[in-house]
């Protein structure tokens, strides 16, 4: 009943920029903390950035100063603005959200299907 869909991944040149989007839909009561994670081939999935419902952000050291996470609560949508991209940013980027569904007192962690970001010449 709840779905997260990422979009915006693409092939980007080093130093370029790209914005990812994550749209949540379904029978949602509220969305608490949301975050972006990424996974490169042969590596463990890692945290990129998180944002609370009130807008408090947290970033991995590797992306501080280059990436900006934001959200539009009215649209149930989260964004990741990526600037000064490096080859090591190449990964599948996943959207995560802690969501309480309508009619439920429980909060669950949901994941999107991922979107590929490739930084290469």
């Amino acid at each position: 009943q709840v779905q997260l869909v990422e979009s915006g991944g693409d092939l980007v040149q080093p130093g370029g920029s790209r914005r990812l989007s994550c749209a949540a839909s379904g029978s949602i009561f509220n969305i608490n903390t949301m975050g972006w994670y990424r996974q490169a081939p042969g590596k463990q999935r890692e945290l990129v950035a998180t944002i609370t419902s009130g807008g408090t952000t947290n970033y991995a050291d590797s992306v501080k100063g280059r990436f900006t996470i934001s959200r539009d609560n009215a649209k149930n949508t989260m964004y990741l603005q990526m600037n000064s991209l490096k080859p090591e940013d190449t990964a599948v980027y996943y959207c995560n959200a802690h969501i309480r569904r309508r009619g439920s007192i429980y909060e669950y962690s949901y994941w999107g299907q991922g979107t590929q970001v490739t930084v290469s010449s």
Side-chain angles (χ1 to χ4, degrees):
Q1 291 184 319
V2 173
Q3 186 177 22
L4 300 178
V5 179
E6 302 99 331
S7 62
D10 202 356
L11 173 64
V12 188
Q13 292 186 346
S17 298
R18 194 72 181 177
R19 190 180 76 158
L20 306 182
S21 298
C22 170
S25 62
S27 57
I28 297 169
F29 177 74
N30 63 15
I31 304 176
N32 290 318
T33 299
M34 304 181 76
W36 289 98
Y37 293 73
R38 66 186 182 186
Q39 187 167 26
K43 291 185 173 292
Q44 188 176 3
R45 186 174 299 186
E46 66 175 354
L47 173 71
V48 176
T50 61
I51 183 167
T52 68
S53 60
T56 300
T57 59
N58 182 52
Y59 297 92
D61 288 341
S62 59
V63 306
K64 284 181 179 177
R66 299 189 299 120
F67 290 11
T68 302
I69 188 171
S70 61
R71 63 192 287 173
D72 186 334
N73 291 332
K75 297 180 179 179
N76 286 339
T77 301
M78 176 179 64
Y79 307 95
L80 184 68
Q81 178 65 49
M82 305 183 294
N83 298 325
S84 301
L85 283 162
K86 305 174 181 179
E88 50 263 46
D89 295 318
T90 296
V92 177
Y93 284 71
Y94 295 92
C95 174
N96 175 259
H98 293 88
I99 299 173
R100 187 179 355 167
R101 301 198 301 180
R102 280 196 274 269
S104 176
I105 65 170
Y106 302 109
E107 182 180 284
Y108 294 91
S109 178
Y110 293 86
W111 292 91
Q113 83 291 342
T115 185
Q116 177 71 49
V117 175
T118 302
V119 184
S120 176
S121 299

